[in-house]
């Protein structure tokens, strides 16, 4: 089977052995934003055509490729939902190739206590892969998937019960490039652990994020925050506020982290600062999730 | 006397009668960022040269013109500070004009309980003007000056005891133009009161700002927030978070608001939602503040 995690800015393809082991892996800067209208079949052939020619006849996609801007829009599946629910809700994708069939994993939707909606696309598949690593029978677990939009996922009895998204990564990018803070940060500076910790500590003080942000500027003006430390301080401030709010909403420790380094290491450091146990997992959880959902599809559903 | 409130993006000049009444007022898009190096004397002459020719021989400046990027850098004066302290700390500005002398009001600096610095330039002069309107003898007062960087000022016995800045206006601009939220907002839509109130209400729920921001996107995706209401919702969300944090830090009601409409009206609405009494004041408080500081300078200091 072929699994493809097809997001906004990149495409990750996995050639999977029966049982889910990754035989081969590829990554391309060919996210859905880089695919012209009608170009998805060609983009898929370009990415994995040789694997199809070699006999792979099932392709399972997940991620933003199933959004309104993607290939086929797969309606969000409502929580609670687990691997079996996701498999049953996969959507067939028209692919003019006699030898391979393509299906798409839907995203998940949830509502918080106040009724405000939440959505994810792609992360649901990573969660399925992570649950296999954690032990699917865990009565309760909290998963944290850092990224542009970080997902905090509550799992109960092997199914996603609900989740909350924090726009931290994207807010960091917007503030560090498009506000007066840009003048106080050296964009090329390497990460600075001490400055990150200072930002984390600041996030735990009163005043609110919008006030703490101005402190980045004021500390720079008074010479108390060197330009080379500004980015790490801002990063610590934002991640600190995110983690504080997530803890206030409630987590079931340990928090299971999965995502790209070095971001996961920063979240681990933030959880340490709050005294919350955590475990880090394989960032390629999507491959395992695609394999598991594919297995659940069995022979006939394709 | 001539008073000039010279900020980053604009210049406001006032021709003041003895006693402080505004005889004439001018505004130009000639903020310090639009002045070339060495160009401040010429820019001042362009703005008020005719008033000088008519006999005005004292010019008092306030605002970012006293910053490192301005004409002459005036060191920040430490809080607590009032009108007399500001007058005593004004800085002479070299102006090659035999008939007029120029001085500059310094900004203020403070530290919060955690020792993090705060700075303002220009608002200290508005505060002096506002205190005259409020009654300088008030044992305690809270002033809120909305803008790109909103200042919450604590006054005790006629002097600024401390203050906190929230980057709300600038964060709004960065998020609404440079994140995925831009796709869900109609930038041309008129203000929508109901959406602003929804954002305010959301700010009072758990989850934190970074999570609430993603809700703007999710509500739009599910059709629960029309594009025409997105900007007002985001505005309510941010101002709501700012006001909630300010109240948590402590205010002495009523909160005295001063600044440009329609922003002041939005803060008034937010304070209403939190049940905090407030009063709105003349947005031209800087003119009165310049007059009062000028009076304190007396005859000899010039």
């Amino acid at each position: 089977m072929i699994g493809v995690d097809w997001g906004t800015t990149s495409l990750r393809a996995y050639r999977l052995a029966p049982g889910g082991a990754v035989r081969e892996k590829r990554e391309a800067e060919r996210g859905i934003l880089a695919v012209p209208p009608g170009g998805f079949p060609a983009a898929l052939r370009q990415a994995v055509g040789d694997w199809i020619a070699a006999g792979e006849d099932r392709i399972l996609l997940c991620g933003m490729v199933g959004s309104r801007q993607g290939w086929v829009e797969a309606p969000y599946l409502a929580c609670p939902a687990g691997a079996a629910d996701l498999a049953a809700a996969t959507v067939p994708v028209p692919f003019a190739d006699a030898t391979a069939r393509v299906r798409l994993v839907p995203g998940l939707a949830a509502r918080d206590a106040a009724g405000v909606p939440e959505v994810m696309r792609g992360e649901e598949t990573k969660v399925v892969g992570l649950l296999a690593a954690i032990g699917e029978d865990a009565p309760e677990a909290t998963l944290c998937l850092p990224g542009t939009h970080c997902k905090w996922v509550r799992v109960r009895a092997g199914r996603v019960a609900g989740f909350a998204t924090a726009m931290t990564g994207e807010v960091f990018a917007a503030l560090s490039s498009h506000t007066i803070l840009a003048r106080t940060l050296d964009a090329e500076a390497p990460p600075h652990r001490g400055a990150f910790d200072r930002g984390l500590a600041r996030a735990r003080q009163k005043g609110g994020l919008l006030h703490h942000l101005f402190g980045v500027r004021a500390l720079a003006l008074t010479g108390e925050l060197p330009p080379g430390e500004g980015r790490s301080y801002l990063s610590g401030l934002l991640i600190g506020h995110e983690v504080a709010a997530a803890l206030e909403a409630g987590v079931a420790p340990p928090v299971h982290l999965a995502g790209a380094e070095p971001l996961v290491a920063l979240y681990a450091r933030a959880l340490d600062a709050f005294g919350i146990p955590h475990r880090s997992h394989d960032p390629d959880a999507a491959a395992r999730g695609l394999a598991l959902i594919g297995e659940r599809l069995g022979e006939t559903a394709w």
Side-chain angles (χ1 to χ4, degrees), chain A residues 183-186 189 192 195 198 216 219-233:
Chain A
R183 290 198 217 164
T184 65
L185 313 174
D186 175 357
H192 189 288
R198 270 178 86 189
V216 184
L219 284 166
L221 277 175
T222 58
E224 293 163 73
L225 183 67
E229 300 181 14
R231 278 178 71 84
S232 286
Y233 180 92

Side-chain angles (χ1 to χ4, degrees), chain A residues 39 86 122 135 139 215 225 271 274 299:
Chain A
L86 286 165
L225 183 67
L271 287 164
F274 283 89
E299 289 302 311

Side-chain angles (χ1 to χ4, degrees), chain A residues 2-294:
Chain A
I2 297 169
V4 183
D5 178 10
W6 205 336
T8 306
T9 57
S10 70
L11 175 157
R12 286 186 192 82
Y14 306 94
R15 193 174 178 189
L16 301 162
V22 175
R23 294 173 58 187
E24 218 176 320
K25 175 185 163 180
R26 281 174 194 172
E27 188 164 351
E29 303 277 304
R30 197 71 195 277
I32 65 161
L33 295 182
V35 176
F40 283 99
L44 183 62
R45 250 180 242 111
Q46 196 188 355
V48 301
D50 55 334
W51 293 348
I52 297 172
E56 300 293 353
D57 61 354
R58 291 164 191 194
I59 307 175
L60 190 59
L61 315 178
C62 72
M64 291 300 282
V65 67
S67 70
R68 211 164 296 167
Q69 292 79 39
W71 188 344
V72 165
E73 186 176 358
Y76 292 107
L77 183 63
C79 288
D85 309 293
L86 286 165
T90 54
V91 166
V93 176
F95 187 54
D97 187 309
T99 64
R101 281 151 297 167
V102 180
R103 294 188 76 86
L104 199 151
V105 180
L108 291 182
R111 289 193 183 264
D112 71 10
V116 176
E118 267 291 356
V119 291
M120 61 164 62
R121 280 201 192 274
E123 291 92 349
E124 72 295 324
T125 303
K126 290 190 181 97
V127 168
V128 168
L130 283 169
L131 285 179
I134 293 165
E136 257 188 275
D137 312 330
E140 223 172 349
T142 301
L143 279 53
C144 173
L145 310 176
T148 306
H149 296 168
C150 180
K151 303 287 181 185
W152 291 79
V153 185
R154 294 182 303 282
V155 173
R156 240 173 260 135
R159 299 167 89 203
V160 174
F163 56 95
T165 307
M167 263 181 63
T168 312
E170 198 173 6
V171 169
F172 176 82
L175 296 179
S176 58
S177 300
H178 299 288
T179 69
I180 195 158
L181 300 186
R183 290 198 217 164
T184 65
L185 313 174
D186 175 357
E188 307 296 320
H192 189 288
R193 188 175 279 205
F196 181 81
D197 289 346
R198 270 178 86 189
L200 277 182
R202 180 62 170 157
R204 303 182 68 182
Q205 294 166 1
K206 281 196 177 180
L209 176 56
L210 294 165
H211 166 53
H212 289 168
L213 288 172
F214 185 75
V216 184
R217 172 78 178 152
L219 284 166
L221 277 175
T222 58
E224 293 163 73
L225 183 67
E229 300 181 14
R231 278 178 71 84
S232 286
Y233 180 92
L234 178 61
S235 171
L237 189 58
L238 290 170
I239 292 175
H241 271 277
E242 177 189 343
V243 170
L247 298 183
E248 202 199 8
V251 302
V255 171
H256 298 276
L257 288 166
E261 288 293 350
L263 198 54
V264 162
L266 294 180
Y267 276 76
R269 203 165 170 80
L271 287 164
D272 281 339
F274 283 89
I276 302 295
H278 54 85
R279 279 172 54 198
S280 293
H281 296 271
D282 182 4
D284 266 343
R288 188 146 187 195
L290 285 161
L292 288 167
I293 297 170

